[in-house]
Amino acid sequence: MSKHFVPENLPTHLQHYIGGKFVDSIGGETFEVLDPVTNKTYATAAAGQKADIDAAVVAATEAFKNGPWPTMSPRARAKVLYKIADAVVAQESRLAEMETFDTGLPITQARGQAQRAAENFRFFADLIVAQHDTALKVPGSQLNYVNRKPIGVAGLITPWNTPFMLESWKLAPSIASGCTVVLKPAEFTPLSASLWATIFEEAGLPTGVFNLVNGIGEDAGDALVKHPKVPLISFTGESSTGQLIFRNCAENLKGMSMELGGKSPAIVFADADFDAAIDSTLFGVFSLNGERCTAGSRILVERPIYEKFVAAYAARAKNIKVGDPHDPATQVGALVHPEHYDKVMSYVEIGKTEARLVAGGGRPENLPEGQENGSYVAPTVFVDVAPDARIFQEEIFGPVVAITPFDTDAEALELANNTRYGLAAYVWTNDLKRAHNFAQDVEAGMVWLNSHNVRDLRSPFGGVKASGLGHEGGYRSIDFYTDQQAVHITLGDVHTPKFGA
């Protein structure tokens, strides 16, 4: 497939969506949006400033205080959420084309995103209808119950990897809970977010419940985080940005949910199912172009199978099809943006001074015609990586992996925990006792045993250490977007000390 595919009716200008209307920035500011296959500008987007965030918060506040959404019954809200899910699925092929064009993700991996996004809305629709809250009775004395209510305007700041699906992770529970929202999508990938407004309108979501402001993090994101009338910030992104947001939320004591970076270990013991471990550890770091927070980007392999593993892994990595994201045969597409490409390539060069390169290490050969300037990186494998190497310690967020041997379970655990991050971990062993003990001792918010990253929407999603603050998923998401007010009623006689009698 040599000719670069461009989706039909591609917008050339993306606007904000505030109070039910598509609008430009009040000051007329814009920024350019690139296509990662050619790295050429294909559209401009309105660049939100403080004034635009203010306008969006006014609209969201009005919808929260005077609109019908927060006080509707859970069943009534659920009906709208189901319509949203159906509308997302109806857009599946269009969405996949737009997502691939905007992000460089392979089309086969973009196609599942609409189904996953729709499932988020169905899941939280079911959850709010089925949810019950605590009632506690002290016989003859007191009855206490929990009155759960939405907190207000939620600020949602989302990343550029699988943007539409990750936006749904935040939009579904916040809207289901009765909050109104201001979404600030990542500036690298604003295209698919533009679909939400029409989807929500057609599903019957009341005006002002959903607002979208495009823009750069330092402008639009910063204004949203600092806004005194936005009591909640949900952020997914890089850890140093999370630290900055944490500091800026302190002024107004905002609620925060932050899913941050990762340098997740995949630990392969000698007794593991070798072929399954190879398949999964390859997929775990090279799917989604390696641009995934839960990537198993450090692979720790027990010494007796280390050389065999390295040889098999390198051979497979060299065979991965890199190329046009719209080609169904492509397994790794173009990285999202030249800035990110430069960052990943700088780590590839660092790795060459720190470890042994056995696959990749540069741009792939034989790129499609017209795509020679695209942000392509060949799947890159470093082995014999020392624990203090930068490529072992720092998040690269691309198709680059570090493989390191270990001799004992204790050494494996020490290596696994030897970074500032703690998002995910993957353990491969057929020893049941070892599997559970290792999983419980590893410093990670999520652990998969003999599995790659398979998500259950009921379970908590989040990290420890520099990988996050708080958890989302299931009831934990509802807890974040609602206040749980305790109401106490006396059933018997009141016995109060008579001060001043």
Side-chain angles (χ1 to χ4, degrees), residues 146-164:
V146 172
N147 172 41
R148 189 185 288 268
K149 48 189 180 179
I151 291 178
V153 178
L156 313 178
I157 303 175
T158 51
W160 45 255
N161 58 324
T162 64
F164 191 85

Side-chain angles (χ1 to χ4, degrees), residues 22-247:
F22 288 99
V23 293
D24 280 320
S25 291
I26 292 167
E29 297 88 353
T30 63
F31 64 95
E32 294 185 342
V33 189
L34 305 183
D35 149 24
V37 161
T38 64
N39 281 324
K40 292 179 180 172
T41 300
Y42 74 86
T44 58
Q49 310 296 311
K50 182 177 181 299
D52 306 297
I53 291 291
D54 287 345
V57 174
V58 166
T61 303
E62 171 63 22
F64 185 77
K65 289 190 171 175
N66 300 314
W69 189 251
T71 55
M72 282 166 65
S73 72
R75 175 67 70 189
R77 287 206 297 268
K79 285 180 178 176
V80 176
L81 294 170
Y82 262 94
K83 287 181 182 173
I84 291 168
D86 292 343
V88 168
V89 172
Q91 292 262 18
E92 180 166 24
S93 56
R94 169 78 172 161
L95 169 64
E97 288 178 356
M98 291 171 79
E99 203 80 317
T100 290
F101 182 81
D102 203 26
T103 64
L105 288 178
I107 187 71
T108 52
Q109 295 169 42
R111 281 198 188 114
Q113 304 300 321
Q115 295 287 352
R116 292 186 66 189
E119 185 54 31
N120 282 313
F121 283 94
R122 293 196 184 103
F123 174 83
F124 284 104
D126 293 342
L127 199 64
I128 57 170
V129 171
Q131 182 173 302
H132 62 91
D133 280 308
T134 311
L136 306 164
K137 184 179 178 185
V138 182
S141 173
Q142 197 176 51
L143 174 68
N144 309 325
Y145 68 88
V146 172
N147 172 41
R148 189 185 288 268
K149 48 189 180 179
I151 291 178
V153 178
L156 313 178
I157 303 175
T158 51
W160 45 255
N161 58 324
T162 64
F164 191 85
M165 195 275 292
L166 289 176
E167 286 152 13
S168 77
W169 273 17
K170 299 182 188 302
L171 287 167
S174 57
I175 290 172
S177 299
C179 288
T180 60
V181 305
V182 177
L183 170 67
K184 206 296 281 184
E187 56 263 34
F188 286 174
T189 55
L191 183 59
S192 59
S194 65
L195 295 172
W196 285 117
T198 308
I199 287 170
F200 287 148
E201 274 185 19
E202 291 176 356
L205 190 70
T207 300
V209 174
F210 168 75
N211 302 275
L212 180 149
V213 178
N214 289 302
I216 310 300
E218 290 84 351
D219 299 326
D222 189 61
L224 184 58
V225 166
K226 291 175 178 173
H227 202 292
K229 292 191 175 173
V230 178
L232 293 173
I233 295 291
S234 178
F235 170 73
T236 299
E238 199 263 332
S239 295
S240 60
T241 310
Q243 290 173 303
L244 178 63
I245 288 173
F246 201 149
R247 284 192 288 270

Side-chain angles (χ1 to χ4, degrees), residues 155-438:
L156 313 178
I157 303 175
T158 51
W160 45 255
N161 58 324
T162 64
F164 191 85
M165 195 275 292
L166 289 176
E167 286 152 13
S168 77
W169 273 17
K170 299 182 188 302
L171 287 167
S174 57
I175 290 172
S177 299
C179 288
T180 60
V181 305
V182 177
L183 170 67
K184 206 296 281 184
E187 56 263 34
F188 286 174
T189 55
L191 183 59
S192 59
S194 65
L195 295 172
W196 285 117
T198 308
I199 287 170
F200 287 148
E201 274 185 19
E202 291 176 356
L205 190 70
T207 300
V209 174
F210 168 75
N211 302 275
L212 180 149
V213 178
N214 289 302
I216 310 300
E218 290 84 351
D219 299 326
D222 189 61
L224 184 58
V225 166
K226 291 175 178 173
H227 202 292
K229 292 191 175 173
V230 178
L232 293 173
I233 295 291
S234 178
F235 170 73
T236 299
E238 199 263 332
S239 295
S240 60
T241 310
Q243 290 173 303
L244 178 63
I245 288 173
F246 201 149
R247 284 192 288 270
N248 288 336
C249 283
E251 184 70 26
N252 291 296
L253 298 174
K254 291 176 190 260
M256 281 178 296
S257 176
M258 296 204 285
E259 193 256 285
L260 306 174
K263 192 72 178 175
S264 300
I267 303 95
V268 183
F269 288 93
D271 68 342
D273 180 329
F274 185 87
D275 291 338
I278 286 281
D279 289 344
S280 186
T281 52
L282 279 157
F283 182 83
V285 77
F286 296 127
S287 59
L288 305 179
N289 298 348
E291 297 166 326
R292 54 187 306 164
C293 48
T294 53
S297 54
R298 293 182 298 137
I299 304 176
L300 314 176
V301 184
E302 195 168 9
R303 186 85 61 181
I305 61 165
Y306 181 71
E307 292 303 331
K308 177 187 175 187
F309 186 94
V310 164
Y313 196 95
R316 287 277 295 275
K318 289 174 186 172
N319 207 32
I320 289 172
K321 173 85 165 71
V322 184
D324 189 330
H326 291 278
D327 183 344
T330 292
Q331 294 168 315
V332 171
L335 298 190
V336 69
H337 191 276
E339 278 179 34
H340 185 60
Y341 170 83
D342 289 345
K343 175 195 164 187
V344 172
M345 288 301 276
S346 75
Y347 274 109
V348 171
E349 294 309 310
I350 290 166
K352 290 174 183 176
T353 70
E354 292 183 321
R356 181 161 63 98
L357 177 70
V358 294
R363 293 177 64 79
E365 297 174 359
N366 305 317
L367 286 169
E369 184 184 343
Q371 299 186 24
E372 296 86 358
N373 295 322
S375 297
Y376 289 103
V377 176
T380 297
V381 182
F382 290 106
V383 301
D384 309 340
V385 183
D388 60 351
R390 286 185 64 188
I391 60 167
F392 189 94
Q393 290 291 335
E394 298 174 24
E395 184 177 43
I396 300 171
F397 216 67
V400 182
V401 68
I403 307 182
T404 300
F406 68 86
D407 290 296
T408 65
D409 289 30
E411 185 187 2
L413 185 65
E414 185 181 350
L415 286 168
N417 291 341
N418 178 26
T419 72
R420 64 192 284 250
Y421 296 106
L423 189 57
Y426 306 87
V427 182
W428 289 87
T429 178
N430 282 317
D431 182 330
L432 194 63
K433 188 165 84 170
R434 168 199 274 156
H436 285 289
N437 284 327
F438 198 97

